[in-house]
Amino acid sequence: MNTAQAHRGPDGQGIFEDPAAGVALGQVRLSILDLSPAAAQPMHAPDGCGVLVYNGEIYNFRELRQDLTARGHRFHSTGDTEVLLHGLLEYGAPFTTRLNGIFAFAWWDARTRELLLARDPLGVKPLYYAEPAPGQLLFGSEIKALLQHPGLSREPDFTALQQHLAYCHAAGERTAFKAVKRLAPGTWLRWRSGRPIAVQRYWQAPFGEARLQDRAGALADLRGQLLAATRRQLVADVPVGLFLSGGLDSSLITALAAPAAGAGLDCFTISYPQADNQLDRAAEDLPHARALARRLGLPLHEIELRPQVADLLPELVWHLDEPLADPAAIACFLICQQAREQGVKVLLSGQGVDELFCGYPRYQVLRAMGGLAGWPLAPRRLIAALAARLPGAWEGRFGAQLRRVRRILSELAQPPSTRFLNLCANTPQAEISRVWSPGVRDALHTETFRDDCQRHIVETGLSGLAALQERDLAIYLPNHNLNYTDKMSMAVGVEARVPLLDLELVNAVTRYPADWLLGRETKVLLREAARGIVPDSIIDRPKAGFGAPYRKWLRYDLADLWHDLTSESAVKARGWFDYRALQEARARSQAGRDDLYMLQWAVLTMELWARRFIDQPSGGA
């Protein structure tokens, strides 16, 4: 299992075994704090009463260490791992609630004969588990480590795969394998021999709690928290760098970090030829990234995306563990690879801001369409039907605008939560159902990609914007954005940190009234907080996605890859898709009628994933 995920820890590895207790713990080390052997893992308690394996960083470890020292604990290292160990010795599982950081850990308490697993509140660090047989528990940071157990089933979960085709990720605790679950963010798992596994939430975002009233005071406090969070996450005993896209989020972190870290702070960005942007029409980031780097006197390393990067897809799918079909994973991997080559082992990322501060256009769309709820259903259905006739994949700026109008208006007849979840998806349910084989359609019966998320929204008891925001923070963010960011960075031995998901910041922002976050523009309060720190030209520019020109690539450059992976013989051998329906979906996209390019990308990713993890007995390790 250590070998299967050795890329996550190229600086060392260790194993603890207790045959009498039936417990074994393994860890591969990426050295960030205290590079000496004193911080090696598994780390043993001084009196032999416990063992810890841990992945991540605890940003308030110095404050926690002071408290533990006052209680008589003695430390032999300067990092955070030993602080976590002594905190668990002193306080047990509740110590987790005092941690501000990104982490997944396993604590074997020899006194109680209990194994405790825990994952950080926002799910920045992954943690998977499985029960190959009653009473057995496997866990790890990556699914491929669990697949080394010969008794673990590789049967795919078609409900999860359908969610991948729609959202690029599975919802909740699901993974692409029926036998493997992800431990939810902010959750403990307890295991004792002979007892059922117990799973318990220890944290959730405080949506619905008392709202702050003093907006001016909250704005001043927000500025202070943004600076404090960024400075906390600069702490490392290795070089630190930054993702710098040129958007508000990464620019704000860069502007806050630069004075504290100095001019040696390396920044990394992605670009691609403008000729490749004719179909996707993404907003241009590079000039803004260059201008900010010059203004702050920071070196900016530019990595250009070319269609040939598709050659990386098989390797990236192996690192991702699941068919996570977001082209942004390619950009993330290339940045992290370049950073590691430059000697940078930690990168600060702006991930999480759109979920926390309502930065996605879909929030504005839902609010704008709220006034149409009183319209009779008949005219709303008529508008939706007419919108569906608009071209979906024309090239150029006008084609991009038509695509957005069609996407918004075609949802007009749906209830709000359904409308929101459909807008979150890349491909409509009808198109996904059409490309499944009859056997998969029968297995799914009437299940849609929305069902798990709709159940989650109901269970939270929240309503309005808070319910939608909580769904994105609890499901979309950890299962998608944070997932690929962790996997792509750790693939090359780089740790990605997310200062704008600092726990203190999250606990404050999720109590803000909705109109502090969303108005005529997105991220209202964050934009105000950034004034004077980031140039207005960046604050006021339209949102741009962090990805790749995948539509252009699929239309022109990757035709051979499409025909290879979706040939009639390959599709029939897999048995998951309908060959004619797949080719029809591509033909409609190529003709400019429908924007089904993300569906094509997801199908390619899924086939590559199946070849690596389903067809190969070793799981590609």
Side-chain angles (χ1 to χ4, degrees):
M1 292 176 74
N2 273 7
T3 301
Q5 53 185 23
H7 49 274
R8 296 184 68 90
D11 300 327
Q13 66 91 29
I15 295 173
F16 162 79
E17 293 179 302
D18 184 345
V23 173
L25 306 178
Q27 195 259 2
V28 291
R29 184 184 182 192
L30 179 64
S31 302
I32 302 295
L33 290 172
D34 191 344
L35 313 185
S36 75
Q41 299 181 45
M43 184 172 283
H44 297 253
D47 56 0
C49 64
V51 182
L52 173 71
V53 289
Y54 153 61
N55 171 222
E57 304 292 340
I58 297 169
Y59 303 122
N60 62 337
F61 77 96
R62 289 171 174 161
E63 296 92 325
L64 297 172
R65 180 176 177 138
Q66 290 177 354
D67 168 70
L68 291 165
T69 300
R71 291 176 174 270
H73 292 262
R74 296 293 175 261
F75 294 88
H76 303 283
S77 66
T78 60
D80 56 345
T81 305
E82 194 176 9
V83 172
L84 176 58
L85 183 145
H86 282 273
L88 291 168
L89 280 172
E90 179 71 28
Y91 297 105
F95 184 68
T96 313
T97 63
R98 302 176 62 184
L99 306 179
N100 183 355
I102 56 176
F103 55 83
F105 70 76
W107 164 244
W108 169 243
D109 192 331
R111 300 166 299 184
T112 60
R113 314 296 282 178
E114 179 180 84
L115 180 71
L116 173 72
L117 305 183
R119 190 177 178 199
D120 67 74
L122 279 303
V124 180
K125 285 297 177 183
L127 185 52
Y128 301 94
Y129 69 97
E131 299 175 81
Q136 292 184 346
L137 174 67
L138 300 174
F139 64 90
S141 294
E142 297 191 1
I143 294 173
K144 65 180 68 66
L146 277 59
L147 294 177
Q148 303 314 300
H149 191 289
L152 188 62
S153 168
R154 296 168 183 264
E155 181 183 357
D157 182 339
F158 285 108
T159 296
L161 294 184
Q162 178 162 253
Q163 292 166 355
H164 274 279
L165 291 181
Y167 296 132
C168 295
H169 63 85
E173 296 184 359
R174 289 187 191 273
T175 73
F177 297 95
K178 276 190 174 180
V180 179
K181 295 180 180 179
R182 73 184 87 236
L183 191 65
T187 300
W188 292 319
L189 182 151
R190 287 183 166 93
W191 175 89
R192 286 190 184 184
S193 180
R195 296 188 184 182
I197 288 172
V199 177
Q200 177 186 355
R201 289 293 296 269
Y202 69 83
W203 180 91
Q204 55 189 17
F207 291 103
E209 293 186 9
R211 301 281 174 162
L212 300 175
Q213 299 300 316
D214 179 9
R215 193 177 188 281
L219 179 60
D221 183 60
L222 176 58
R223 288 194 177 107
Q225 289 203 40
L226 291 168
L227 179 59
T230 303
R231 287 180 172 174
R232 268 196 292 271
Q233 300 197 23
L234 285 169
V235 175
D237 294 329
V238 295
V240 178
L242 294 147
F243 288 91
L244 177 57
S245 69
L248 171 60
D249 311 337
S250 63
S251 298
L252 179 58
I253 294 172
T254 303
L256 292 171
L265 196 63
D266 286 87
C267 301
F268 301 85
T269 195
I270 281 288
S271 67
Y272 44 82
Q274 280 306 297
D276 284 1
N277 198 26
Q278 183 63 21
L279 182 53
D280 294 85
R281 303 306 299 182
E284 193 173 3
D285 275 333
L286 186 58
H288 298 277
R290 286 173 174 168
L292 185 67
R294 282 196 303 269
R295 174 176 172 164
L296 298 173
L298 300 178
L300 178 65
H301 307 274
E302 300 177 19
I303 301 100
E304 187 174 72
L305 281 177
R306 294 282 185 172
Q308 291 75 19
V309 299
D311 296 339
L312 286 171
L313 280 177
E315 178 186 354
L316 301 192
V317 166
W318 179 73
H319 280 296
L320 288 166
D321 283 329
E322 297 184 85
L324 200 157
D326 191 337
I330 300 174
C332 185
F333 175 82
L334 291 174
I335 284 178
C336 294
Q337 184 180 61
Q338 179 68 29
R340 184 68 197 225
E341 290 173 0
Q342 296 291 130
V344 174
K345 290 178 73 173
V346 174
L347 284 174
L348 304 192
S349 164
Q351 290 281 22
V353 172
D354 289 319
E355 293 81 4
L356 188 59
F357 287 91
C358 294
Y360 292 118
R362 59 179 175 256
Y363 295 125
Q364 277 188 306
V365 169
L366 264 292
R367 171 166 284 195
M369 296 175 73
L372 303 177
W375 284 27
L377 186 58
R380 285 191 283 137
R381 283 178 172 168
L382 177 61
I383 294 172
L386 293 173
R389 296 178 177 273
L390 293 172
W394 280 5
E395 295 190 5
R397 190 173 302 278
F398 182 64
Q401 292 295 340
L402 279 178
R403 189 159 58 241
R404 296 185 188 100
V405 170
R406 168 178 166 157
R407 182 169 172 80
I408 292 169
L409 294 182
S410 62
E411 298 296 333
L412 196 57
Q414 301 295 332
S417 65
T418 301
R419 190 185 308 152
F420 175 77
L421 293 173
N422 284 347
L423 287 173
C424 291
N426 300 297
T427 305
Q429 179 65 54
E431 299 292 353
I432 293 172
S433 298
R434 188 176 288 120
V435 300
W436 281 131
S437 68
V440 173
R441 280 199 296 269
D442 289 344
L444 289 168
H445 192 45
T446 60
E447 194 162 14
T448 75
F449 63 71
R450 296 183 301 269
D451 294 348
D452 279 349
C453 288
Q454 285 180 320
R455 283 190 287 266
H456 174 87
I457 290 172
V458 171
E459 288 169 1
T460 64
L462 297 171
S463 61
L465 180 65
L468 311 181
Q469 195 181 358
E470 195 279 339
R471 175 266 175 193
D472 278 354
L473 204 63
I475 294 178
Y476 174 65
L477 182 62
N479 291 14
H480 183 239
N481 288 347
L482 294 177
N483 189 0
Y484 79 69
T485 300
D486 173 85
K487 299 292 180 56
M488 295 297 90
S489 61
M490 296 297 280
V492 292
V494 170
E495 179 178 86
R497 297 179 179 178
V498 282
L500 300 180
L501 286 176
D502 180 90
L503 187 59
E504 291 184 15
L505 189 62
V506 172
N507 282 331
V509 176
T510 50
R511 291 185 172 95
Y512 289 168
D515 59 0
W516 289 11
L517 305 175
L518 196 62
R520 291 186 177 180
E521 58 186 2
T522 59
K523 299 189 277 196
V524 174
L525 202 65
L526 184 68
R527 292 178 193 271
E528 291 184 35
R531 298 283 177 194
I533 303 173
V534 174
D536 287 352
S537 58
I538 291 177
I539 295 172
D540 298 327
R541 63 179 294 229
K543 177 177 174 56
F546 175 72
Y550 67 92
R551 292 183 180 91
K552 185 265 181 183
W553 290 354
L554 282 166
R555 175 172 277 190
Y556 301 111
D557 306 283
L558 303 183
D560 290 343
L561 180 66
W562 170 265
H563 293 309
D564 173 43
L565 295 181
T566 66
S567 68
E568 188 168 8
S569 59
V571 171
K572 287 185 176 179
R574 181 67 54 210
W576 294 356
F577 296 108
D578 182 300
Y579 172 74
R580 290 184 181 275
L582 285 180
Q583 305 316 313
E584 181 190 351
R586 178 165 176 80
R588 286 156 56 200
S589 295
Q590 297 294 80
R593 288 166 49 199
D594 295 296
D595 181 19
L596 297 174
Y597 286 110
M598 186 54 85
L599 176 63
Q600 294 173 55
W601 192 273
V603 168
L604 294 181
T605 305
M606 199 166 289
E607 175 60 21
L608 288 170
W609 172 81
R611 291 184 182 189
R612 196 68 187 263
F613 286 97
I614 302 295
D615 298 346
Q616 295 186 27
S618 66

